[in-house]
Structures are given as structure tokens and as C-alpha cells.
Amino acid sequence: FISPKLALINTKEQGNSIYSTDKIFKNELLISIPSKYNLNFITILAFLRKFNSDPQSFVIFGTPKYDEVLRSQEDLELGNDSIYTDLYKKLTYDELIQLSSFQLVSFFLTIEFKRGIESWWQPFFDVLPGLEDFSNIPFTWLINGDDDYFEKLPLTARDHSLKQFNKFNKDFKSLCELIDSKIDNDIERYLPKDLFLRFWLCCNSRCLYMKLDEKLNQKNEDNFTMVPFVDFLNHDVEENCFVKVTNAFKIYSGLIYKPRSQIYLSYGPHSNEFLLCEYGFLLNRNENRWNCIDLSKEILALFEKNPEKIAFLKKIDYYDNYFITTTDISFRIEIALAVLSEKDINSKNLKLFIEGMTDGSHYRKERTKILSNLLNKTIEDCK
């Protein structure tokens, strides 16, 4: 279901976007995409199961919840046999569940794209962005050898992008090794690096949160699905729509929309730096209340000669990830600097502050002094 009050419009500023053509009321159903059309770890396993000589080995489908996924795919056309379906037949359930969601979804998108019109998913590929549409994402500059641009990024953006770069290369290497163990032909024929990069980026920029079964033993970052049409919704810092996941992925209006208004979906509480690194776009600076400065390295450096306090921060789960915005100091910073200035980490004052029983005024003077020094240094570094 796609509401008749919605229209897909391509704009110069934001590309494909969804607008209202009529008044939309709060809590009104806007989009509902059944699970058979969604791409995630479960639906791909269900599809690949059709090619396997031992479908009963796909034990995840032994529950009513996932048997419904199998039933929903009964009418999916498999297409003609090819070198790609031959590869599918050689992949075992045990091998597939060792892959991350990123690896499996990106691999599947690449192989199905190579199958062309034989793929039931071809209409989805027709509306996914091309590799050139991701040229603003910094880690792609490293792949293309544009090191000069990359070196002009802030240090935290470079660190973020290097993690993505390493993750992509690791995923590509893992899949090349899996394919190489199954075929005698050229791996490039199955998994061209530029095509895999395109779909890896599609996966990264268009995935939506969806909890996977705990039996799959996936990391939290693997709890996602790709949903056709929903991925045309652009980002806003406000929660203008909300999601419900049943046997379909549903989007409801979170407010009243006037006609000719763009419909937004919040991608999460992300700073411009995160949005640039992950999606390749920025909001106007004054529009993004989640913009922040990462002081993690600077604050952790203050603990270098105090392993006992480092161990304490890790124990109470306040180690690392220290951010400050234009209006707020994160509570993680307040706790870390309180631990730093406290002589006795078992003191009553510190215990009460960590538990939220006091406002931490006992540590305010020392905290202000440390933060002033750090922020003045940050200003100098920026200059």
C-alpha cells in the first residue's frame, strides 16, 4: 500500500523525494511494504533456500514466524539457471549464517544485478542510486585515490571514514574467499569490486532498523532491512514519521502535513559529520541540533597514566564516546571528568553522581577548568 496522497518528485537539491498531494492527518498510514519485497538477512536466506539441495538445513525457518516468510515467497520466480544460480546451489546454510547482514545483502544485490532480467528483484535495482551518486562519501575518495581531499577532513571524520574503508575491504575480501572456494572461474565475473561497492553503499545508506532473530547471532549493526519506496524518504532531525514492523514495514505520519509538503523520516540523532561520512550529505548547520565535537581522544589522553581509572570507566560503561554540542555537555563527559578529578574512585560523592542522585556540583569547578583548556586547544587546532 502506498497512500494516494503521496507523490514521488525529483528535486535538484535532494533528488528523489516524497511529497504530499493532499492534507495528511497524524497517525495516518502512508506506506506498507510486505516482507516479501524487503531485502534483509531472513528474506535472502529464504530465497537462497529455494536453490539448495538440502532446504531442511536452513533451520531458522522451523518457527511459525519465519515459515510465514517462506509462504510469502512461494510465487517468487527463480529465473533460468546460470553460473550465478549454480553458485547459489553451492552455498550452505552454515556458510551463509557466518556472514554479516552487510556482507549477505551486498553480495545478494550484486549477484542478482548480474542476473539481469532473470532476477525477480530487477525493479528494485532500477531505482537504486548509481555509484556516482555516492561520490560525496569520503571513504570512496580513498578507493579512488583522492587522498588530497581526504586529508583536508577533520581528524574525527577521517577516523570514521577509515573504519568504513577497512570494513568495506574486509567484507569484499571475505566474500571473494567464499566465492573462490566454490568456483573455478574468474571471481571478478561474479563480484566486480566497483559493483559490490555500489551495492554496499546502497545497503549502508538505505538500511532501516529491524530486529533479527537472536539465533542468527548477529551484531546490533546487522539488525536492518532494505525497503523499496520507503528509501525515498529524506532525513530530518525531527521524528515526522514513525515505523511499525509486523508482516509488513509500515510508515505512519507523526504530524499533520499540508498539501505539497515533503515527507521526512528521521535517520537518527546524527551530526553533520556522521551524515556526510555515512550518507554523503549535510544539513544546514543551524538546522542540525545533533552537531557536536568529539572530545574522546583529548579526554582519554588525560587518563594515560592512570590505568585504574580507565578500568573503572570501562567497568561502569563510561569509557570513550565523549561529545559536546553548542548547548550541552554529555553526561559521559561529566562522569569521566568527575572520575579524573576524584582521588578516591570509591568515594560517596562519585557514587551518588554516577547513580544520578546528585547533580555533580561537587566536581563543577574542576570540570569547568579542564573543559576550558580542552576547548581552547580545540579552537587552536581548528585554526
Side-chain angles (χ1 to χ4, degrees):
F1 170 80
I2 296 172
S3 171
K5 297 180 181 181
L6 301 181
L8 182 64
I9 297 174
N10 189 282
T11 67
K12 183 179 179 181
E13 296 80 13
Q14 293 183 304
N16 287 322
S17 311
I18 296 178
Y19 280 79
S20 61
T21 59
D22 201 348
K23 184 177 180 179
I24 292 174
F25 295 93
K26 189 174 182 180
N27 299 323
E28 186 173 339
L29 178 63
L30 301 179
I31 305 166
S32 178
I33 309 295
S35 61
K36 67 181 285 186
Y37 300 109
N38 301 336
L39 279 174
N40 55 62
F41 207 98
I42 295 295
T43 57
I44 292 173
L45 279 182
F47 188 76
L48 295 179
R49 180 180 181 272
K50 294 172 179 286
F51 296 91
N52 198 278
S53 60
D54 184 18
Q56 298 307 314
S57 66
F58 284 60
V59 294
I60 191 68
F61 297 107
T63 62
K65 176 182 179 181
Y66 290 130
D67 282 345
E68 176 60 33
V69 176
L70 294 181
R71 285 192 291 273
S72 74
Q73 290 194 6
E74 285 177 353
D75 62 338
L76 263 62
E77 297 177 10
L78 300 183
N80 296 323
D81 285 343
S82 65
I83 61 169
Y84 305 112
T85 56
D86 287 344
L87 174 61
Y88 285 164
K89 292 173 184 177
K90 296 175 181 178
L91 296 171
T92 68
Y93 175 75
D94 288 340
E95 289 170 331
L96 291 169
I97 62 169
Q98 294 304 312
L99 300 175
S100 69
S101 284
F102 261 90
Q103 292 170 344
L104 182 61
V105 176
S106 303
F107 161 77
F108 185 74
L109 286 168
T110 305
I111 298 297
E112 286 296 298
F113 181 84
K114 295 285 285 183
R115 292 182 68 202
I117 58 172
E118 292 296 326
S119 174
W120 187 84
W121 307 92
Q122 183 65 37
F124 193 14
F125 304 141
D126 289 341
V127 294
L128 288 174
L131 188 55
E132 67 280 359
D133 294 307
F134 296 110
S135 59
N136 285 341
I137 295 180
F139 98 83
T140 65
W141 308 345
L142 290 176
I143 293 174
N144 297 328
D146 297 331
D147 293 4
D148 289 344
Y149 285 110
F150 189 79
E151 291 303 319
K152 290 179 170 60
L153 288 169
L155 179 61
T156 48
R158 273 180 277 160
D159 286 346
H160 187 132
S161 299
L162 279 170
K163 288 178 183 177
Q164 288 178 295
F165 179 72
N166 292 332
K167 181 182 177 183
F168 166 76
N169 284 320
K170 179 184 176 183
D171 289 348
F172 183 65
K173 182 174 181 289
S174 296
L175 287 162
C176 284
E177 290 173 351
L178 177 61
I179 295 171
D180 190 42
S181 70
K182 302 295 178 181
I183 62 165
D184 298 322
N185 299 315
D186 183 11
I187 294 175
E188 179 73 14
R189 188 176 183 184
Y190 293 83
L191 205 71
K193 190 170 185 178
D194 59 343
L195 192 60
F196 180 74
L197 175 61
R198 174 198 171 188
F199 288 122
W200 193 94
L201 289 165
C202 284
C203 183
N204 187 61
S205 60
R206 275 150 179 75
C207 58
L208 296 149
Y209 182 81
M210 188 192 77
K211 180 69 174 172
L212 292 174
D213 195 297
E214 292 180 359
K215 293 179 184 177
L216 293 170
N217 198 28
Q218 295 287 339
K219 297 178 181 177
N220 189 56
E221 65 184 32
D222 291 312
N223 288 305
F224 70 79
T225 187
M226 292 182 71
V227 188
F229 198 79
V230 172
D231 59 9
F232 289 131
L233 291 168
N234 289 320
H235 169 66
D236 188 68
V237 293
E238 304 298 336
E239 295 284 355
N240 297 321
C241 290
F242 62 93
V243 173
K244 284 186 179 180
V245 181
T246 53
N247 59 346
F249 198 98
K250 299 179 181 181
I251 301 290
Y252 291 85
S253 171
L255 46 81
I256 296 173
Y257 282 98
K258 296 178 180 178
R260 296 181 297 279
S261 300
Q262 185 171 176
I263 312 298
Y264 290 100
L265 179 70
S266 175
Y267 298 175
H270 302 316
S271 67
N272 269 3
E273 183 174 285
F274 185 96
L275 294 173
L276 177 67
C277 292
E278 295 288 336
Y279 302 101
F281 70 84
L282 301 167
L283 299 178
N284 290 330
R285 185 176 296 180
N286 294 331
E287 292 178 2
N288 194 349
R289 68 173 181 271
W290 301 112
N291 282 340
C292 57
I293 295 172
D294 186 347
L295 293 176
S296 301
K297 285 191 174 182
E298 289 82 357
I299 290 176
L300 289 177
L302 302 175
F303 288 89
E304 281 183 354
K305 296 181 180 180
N306 204 320
E308 183 187 7
K309 289 185 176 180
I310 290 176
F312 180 74
L313 287 172
K314 289 180 177 179
K315 181 181 177 182
I316 62 173
D317 200 22
Y318 278 93
Y319 181 81
D320 207 357
N321 296 316
Y322 304 124
F323 298 93
I324 185 169
T325 70
T326 53
T327 56
D328 293 302
I329 300 165
S330 74
F331 189 60
R332 296 183 70 83
I333 288 181
E334 293 191 41
I335 293 295
L337 296 185
V339 171
L340 181 69
S341 58
E342 181 61 72
K343 294 179 181 179
D344 179 12
I345 56 175
N346 296 310
S347 73
K348 184 178 179 181
N349 281 327
L350 185 58
K351 184 176 184 294
L352 290 173
F353 184 36
I354 292 170
E355 293 175 351
M357 305 301 290
T358 66
D359 62 2
S361 56
H362 178 78
Y363 302 102
R364 188 171 294 141
K365 183 177 180 180
E366 186 65 19
R367 180 179 70 225
T368 302
K369 178 182 175 183
I370 296 170
L371 270 179
S372 295
N373 290 334
L374 288 179
L375 293 175
N376 282 324
K377 184 180 184 304
T378 300
I379 291 169
E380 291 304 313
D381 289 344
C382 289
K383 289 178 180 178

